[in-house]
Structures are given as C-alpha cells and as structure tokens.
Amino acid sequence: MSDAVLYDQTGRVVTLTLNRPDTRNALSADLVKALVAGLERADGDAGVSCVVIAAAGKGFSSGGNLRELKDLTKTEKRTPAQVAEWYETGIQRIPMAMRAVTVPTVAAVHGAAIGAGCDLTCMADIRIAAEDAVFAESFIRVGLIPGDGGAWFLPRVVGPARAREMLFTAAGVPAQKALDWGLVSRVVPAADLLAEAQALAAEIAALPPQALRESKKLINACEHLSLEDGLAMAREMQGRLQQLDDHHEAIDAILEKRKPSFSGR
C-alpha cells in the first residue's frame, strides 16, 4: 500500500484513510491508485466484513486535483478523446471499485467534501458526518460536470431534485442540512467521528459474514431489477444461506439466549 492511503485493520473492520492532507486529499493519480488497491485488498480478504473510509487533515477531500486537470489540456495538449481515456483509466476506477466492493462501506466525513470528494462519500453505503462537514457538488464552478460518477450516485442518495439543486448551484450543504436531506445517517462531534464510524462498522462486522456480503449484493441489484427478478434472486440466495453453519448458529444462539459465534461458513 502507498502512504497516500493508510490501511489499518482491527478485527473484521478495515479503515482506509486518505492521507494527502497537504493537498486536502485531492484525488490525484497516486491517491486514486492507492484507494483502489486498498478497496480491492479489503474486499478480497474473507476476514474483512466492513470498510471505513476516513481522511487525514482538516477535510475529507477537495475533489479532483486542479493542477492535474489544468495540465491535461494547457500543458499536455491532450485531445478530447485522450482526456476521456484519462478519466476512464484514472478517477473513474474509484466508482467501479466502490461499486464492486461486496462488504458494507462507511464514509466518515469531516470538513470539506468537495466535487469528487463529495461523490466519493456518496459511493459509500453509509455516511457519518462531523458537525463541521460540508458537501458540495461543485464541478460547475470550474466549468465541468461530475466526471467521476457523481451524476449516477448522488440522485440515488438525495433524490433527483436535491441532486439537481446541488449540481446546478454548486452550493455547500452543511452537516445538519445533509442529515435532513438523507445525505448522511448521523451527525456527531468532530472529535468522535472516527470512533463513531468504527463502532458502527464493528456492529455491522459482528454479523454473519456471508450474509452481509449477500445482503449488499441483493440491495444493489434490486435498484435495477423488477420485483419478480428481485424475488428470484432473493430466494436463490436464501436457499444457499440456509445451508450455512452461521445460519444455524444464529438461530441456536437466539434460542439458547447467548452471544453467537460466527465462522463465516
């Protein structure tokens, strides 16, 4: 792992920390590469059941690296097709990796989450905000659109009307309004943010590992499936899950009034 993103595991919870505070965690090439690598590493580990995405420094992420963006056309003189390829092989790897992660993800957001930084939070399954958090879909301020998948993720989080308001005005959404809009699940004091996010992740990770991954797969798929197809997918999953030791252990623990011990089998 690059030091651009720190990888830390406690129990079944991995915390990925964006670690470029000198650039306000701008999503430059090295950070993109490190974040994707961290996500893939965590997801490929059967001993991981939840991932927290946090950030070092005064804010979550300032979004795209403006110097990199300017250099594409001003210095490197890239054509429209070459710029499009740069997006596909660069920052667009983040939404693809975030969508591919089969364990739940929790974003712990403090300070500014701007542009692609805002979109990164929307790619997580759950968002917790510090009281000082501000979200902004600010691409239009620099004459751009969300090139990182924000137009796909944001409406699914806050609804189409509020997504349009955020995109067309580029206005910041402070933590309390973000809570009212459903952009975040809770707002906590900044000093408690990481502990709250990791506690939630630990609560999630204490549940049967295979059922967690299948639950995420099912809810993601049902965004696009008909009811009939969603039911078909659910019954096929249920048929497999009910054969597992963890299913029987969960029921036995409830009946015996004790804490379950899950094996992932």
Side-chain angles (χ1 to χ4, degrees):
M1 285 292 296
S2 160
D3 65 356
V5 175
L6 305 180
Y7 189 106
D8 179 68
Q9 182 168 356
T10 301
R12 300 187 66 86
V13 176
V14 163
T15 300
L16 298 176
T17 304
L18 310 184
N19 191 40
R20 285 289 184 263
D22 54 316
T23 65
R24 297 183 298 157
N25 299 312
L27 298 176
S28 53
D30 63 332
L31 199 151
V32 169
K33 181 178 180 180
L35 178 57
V36 170
L39 290 167
E40 291 176 345
R41 174 181 169 185
D43 197 48
D45 185 345
V48 175
S49 286
C50 195
V51 173
V52 174
I53 300 174
K58 295 181 179 180
F60 184 79
S61 174
S62 59
N65 186 301
L66 296 182
R67 294 186 185 277
E68 282 188 359
L69 294 174
K70 182 178 179 179
D71 284 346
L72 290 177
T73 51
K74 294 290 287 185
T75 304
E76 300 172 22
K77 307 296 184 183
R78 297 201 193 191
T79 66
Q82 289 171 330
V83 173
E85 182 184 15
W86 181 85
Y87 275 89
E88 183 178 12
T89 59
I91 199 167
Q92 288 187 350
R93 295 178 62 207
I94 293 178
M96 296 301 290
M98 287 289 288
R99 193 66 174 174
V101 170
T102 59
V103 297
T105 54
V106 179
V109 187
H110 73 286
I114 304 298
C118 177
D119 292 340
L120 174 56
T121 73
C122 292
M123 296 171 199
D125 296 305
I126 302 168
R127 287 153 296 283
I128 296 178
E131 292 171 335
D132 67 347
V134 178
F135 302 81
E137 195 74 352
S138 56
F139 299 92
I140 203 166
R141 288 193 184 278
V142 291
L144 296 175
I145 49 86
D148 61 329
W152 193 91
F153 287 95
L154 186 62
R156 286 167 166 78
V157 175
V158 298
R162 283 172 172 158
R164 284 169 168 80
E165 180 176 340
M166 289 182 68
L167 179 59
F168 298 158
T169 68
V173 177
Q176 188 56 52
K177 181 184 280 190
L179 180 63
D180 294 342
W181 282 13
L183 179 53
V184 301
S185 298
R186 65 183 79 166
V187 176
V188 301
D192 300 334
L193 176 64
L194 186 57
E196 289 271 356
Q198 290 175 331
L200 174 60
E203 181 181 347
I204 292 169
L207 296 166
Q210 290 197 47
L212 268 178
R213 291 184 184 237
E214 293 289 83
S215 293
K216 178 166 177 177
K217 181 179 178 181
L218 179 62
I219 199 167
N220 282 349
C222 282
E223 290 180 356
H224 312 290
L225 294 177
S226 66
L227 174 59
E228 292 78 7
D229 288 343
L231 290 171
M233 186 175 185
R235 61 180 176 258
E236 186 275 330
M237 285 181 170
Q238 207 77 311
R240 287 185 286 105
L241 289 170
Q242 287 188 221
Q243 312 299 318
L244 299 182
D245 292 345
D246 279 350
H247 165 63
H248 299 292
E249 167 63 11
I251 292 178
D252 289 344
I254 291 170
L255 295 176
E256 295 167 12
K257 296 181 173 57
R258 60 174 173 81
K259 185 178 179 179
S261 177
F262 299 121
S263 64
R265 299 190 298 273

